[in-house]
């Protein structure tokens, strides 16, 4: 059934909701009106991550210079009601009431605020106030063909395609950041790649610019990555030795600073582990996300026509084993047992998520 939009109103009618004593403020592209009865926020259509506008069906982001006069208008408690409108070609579309769920900057002069709608927007309203962008070029997934035969090249191809070029680090700085001499080939390749795409050194859980030598029950180790605020790390024997010297096995240690840390051996050797690690972190760092509620595993059948599996063992960064799948411009992980599954997606562009609506999943979070 076709959904209809609420009737449009003029800007003056929208601002009149604020009541007597109207004052107007321009905050970035948004117009804010304050009065005795309410605060009115009129936003322009669109919005992307960290960009002022409508983020999804429940959140609106305001970015701009908000002086002391707006301080009490964006308190979490005891603030006057906030009414939101979106400015369309023919008028202003009412999109509901909201409250401030977070803001940044000094308390009397903050620079951004997150407004949460009291009622989520319908799909019809969301499509009207946050139009689907034009299709953009997305990286392919040909690198998956290399995973089993040449994981280092697969990693390079994925990173160079997924992350945009930016000002790169000098070779001199990169050589200092590489840590001990004679790193294993895969780790050395990762650091060389990071000089071309510095974004991979800015992950939430980073591969260290300077791998750290340490000792413990397993002997001397080289810690090359840390996670969860340094409450876990990943390391290789140092110096590498034995049959795995060229591509050493990886140890995952929980609470590495405890007297008796828990350590397990990762399924994948270093070259394939670095690809696992990068895929997982790239999905977290993606600008757009979606995540389903837990559902019967049979519900995933329709996805296999659009997603290509990455031939790596399940990755266990925390408590859920993640299997990786990809499509152009899209990363996906599936956490499942024999009966149920949760699917998470990371996308470079919002449009890569929109086709997922056709599958009728219940979404815990959806940026598309």
């Amino acid at each position: 059934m076709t959904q209809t939009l609420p009737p449009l109103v003029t800007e003056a009618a929208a601002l009149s909701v604020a009541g007597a004593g109207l004052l107007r403020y321009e905050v970035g592209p948004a117009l804010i009106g304050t009065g005795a009865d309410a605060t009115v926020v009129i936003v322009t259509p669109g919005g992307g991550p960290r960009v002022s506008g409508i983020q999804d069906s429940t959140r609106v982001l305001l970015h701009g210079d908000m002086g002391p006069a707006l301080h009490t208008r964006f308190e979490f408690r005891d603030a006057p009601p906030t009414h939101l409108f979106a400015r369309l070609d023919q008028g202003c579309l009412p999109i509901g009431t909201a409250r401030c769920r977070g803001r940044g900057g000094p308390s009397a002069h903050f620079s951004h605020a997150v407004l949460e709608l009291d009622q989520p927007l319908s799909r019809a309203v969301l499509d009207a106030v946050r139009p689907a962008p034009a299709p953009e070029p997305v990286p392919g997934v040909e690198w998956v063909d290399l995973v089993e035969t040449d994981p280092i090249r697969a990693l390079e191809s994925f990173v160079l395609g997924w992350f945009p070029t930016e000002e790169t680090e000098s070779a001199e700085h990169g050589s200092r950041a590489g840590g001990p001499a004679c790193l294993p080939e895969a780790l050395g390749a990762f650091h060389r790649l990071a000089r071309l795409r510095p974004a991979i050194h800015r992950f939430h859980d980073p591969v260290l610019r300077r791998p750290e030598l340490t000792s413990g029950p397993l002997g001397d180790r080289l810690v090359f990555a840390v996670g969860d605020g340094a409450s876990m790390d990943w390391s290789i024997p140092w110096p590498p030795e034995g049959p795995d010297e060229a591509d050493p096995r990886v140890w995952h240690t929980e609470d590495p600073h405890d007297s008796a840390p828990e350590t397990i051996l990762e399924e994948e050797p270093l070259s394939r582990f670095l690809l696992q690690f990068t895929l997982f972190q790239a999905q977290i760092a993606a600008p757009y996300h979606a995540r389903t509620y837990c559902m019967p595993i049979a519900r995933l059948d329709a996805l296999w026509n659009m997603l290509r599996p990455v031939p790596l063992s399940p990755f266990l960064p925390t408590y859920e084993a993640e299997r990786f799948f990809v499509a152009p411009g899209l990363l996906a992980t599936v956490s499942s047992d024999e009966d149920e599954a949760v699917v998470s997606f990371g996308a470079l562009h919002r449009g890569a998520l929109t086709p997922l609506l056709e599958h009728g999943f219940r979404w815990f979070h959806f940026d598309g």
Side-chain angles (χ1 to χ4, degrees):
M1 183 173 63
T2 303
Q3 294 176 313
T4 59
L5 299 179
L8 301 180
V9 300
T10 65
E11 178 183 293
L15 290 172
S16 70
V17 175
L22 177 68
L23 296 174
R24 299 165 56 113
Y25 304 87
E26 291 186 2
V27 177
L31 173 63
I32 298 178
T34 64
D37 298 331
T39 301
V40 171
V41 177
I42 303 176
V43 297
T44 54
R50 297 172 293 278
V51 175
S52 198
I54 296 155
Q55 302 295 294
D56 53 38
S57 63
T58 62
R59 293 179 303 126
V60 175
L61 179 63
L62 297 179
H63 255 301
D65 185 11
M66 287 184 266
L70 292 174
H71 173 77
T72 58
R73 296 287 170 157
F74 294 101
E75 296 281 2
F76 175 65
R77 294 183 177 88
D78 302 324
T82 299
H83 294 259
L84 290 171
F85 294 80
R87 189 189 303 279
L88 304 182
D89 290 340
Q90 304 301 319
C92 295
L93 180 71
I95 58 176
T97 56
R99 65 176 61 197
C100 185
R101 287 291 186 179
R103 64 189 197 187
S107 60
H109 198 89
F110 52 98
S111 60
H112 69 270
V114 178
L115 306 181
E116 183 177 287
L117 289 156
D118 294 323
Q119 294 293 328
L121 302 179
S122 69
R123 190 70 213 182
V125 171
L126 184 60
D127 288 342
V129 299
R130 198 201 58 182
E136 300 183 54
V138 294
V141 296
E142 295 80 7
W143 55 269
V144 176
D145 295 328
L146 301 171
V147 172
E148 295 189 301
T149 58
D150 195 341
I152 296 176
R153 279 187 60 205
L155 172 65
E156 292 172 344
S157 181
F158 165 70
V159 168
L160 293 176
W162 185 267
F163 295 97
T165 57
E166 54 184 296
E167 185 176 349
T168 57
E169 302 177 11
S170 68
E172 179 184 0
H173 175 78
S175 64
R176 292 199 307 268
C182 302
L183 291 175
E185 180 185 4
L187 195 53
F190 184 96
H191 286 290
R192 291 192 296 273
L193 191 57
R195 294 198 289 274
L196 298 175
R197 297 293 189 272
I200 66 175
H201 266 324
R202 298 194 294 266
F203 287 151
H204 181 269
D205 296 327
V207 169
L208 298 175
R209 292 176 181 269
R210 288 179 175 272
E212 299 173 354
L213 289 169
T214 188
S215 298
L218 299 174
D220 293 338
R221 296 179 298 126
L222 185 69
V223 176
F224 64 87
V226 297
D228 198 19
S231 67
M232 65 178 74
D233 66 32
W234 289 269
S235 63
I236 55 175
W238 194 259
E241 57 185 19
D244 298 328
E245 180 177 357
D247 197 11
R249 303 306 299 269
V250 175
W251 291 96
H252 175 201
T253 303
E254 296 278 354
D255 300 317
H257 302 295
D258 284 1
S259 57
E262 179 182 353
T263 300
I264 61 172
L265 188 63
E266 292 282 352
E267 290 287 332
E268 301 287 4
L270 180 63
S271 60
R272 291 167 62 87
F273 173 83
L274 286 171
L275 177 58
Q276 275 186 321
F277 190 87
T278 302
L279 289 172
F280 184 77
Q281 296 295 331
Q283 181 174 326
I284 293 174
Y288 300 97
H289 295 94
R291 182 176 176 85
T292 69
Y293 282 97
C294 190
M295 59 185 170
I297 199 166
R299 292 279 283 111
L300 273 61
D301 288 349
L303 287 179
W304 307 141
N305 292 328
M306 63 171 292
L307 295 178
R308 183 173 179 183
V310 181
L312 293 167
S313 59
F315 186 47
L316 188 63
T318 51
Y319 302 105
E320 298 179 326
E322 311 274 1
R323 291 181 295 141
F324 294 101
F325 297 82
V326 295
L330 193 66
L331 297 175
T333 54
V334 177
S335 303
S336 65
D337 58 21
E338 294 180 354
D339 302 312
E340 295 182 314
V342 172
V343 189
S344 300
F345 299 90
L348 289 178
H349 307 294
R350 179 180 286 124
L353 296 175
T354 306
L356 297 172
L357 290 172
E358 299 174 3
H359 300 297
F361 299 144
R362 286 185 63 232
W363 295 102
F364 178 79
H365 177 90
F366 191 78
D367 285 336

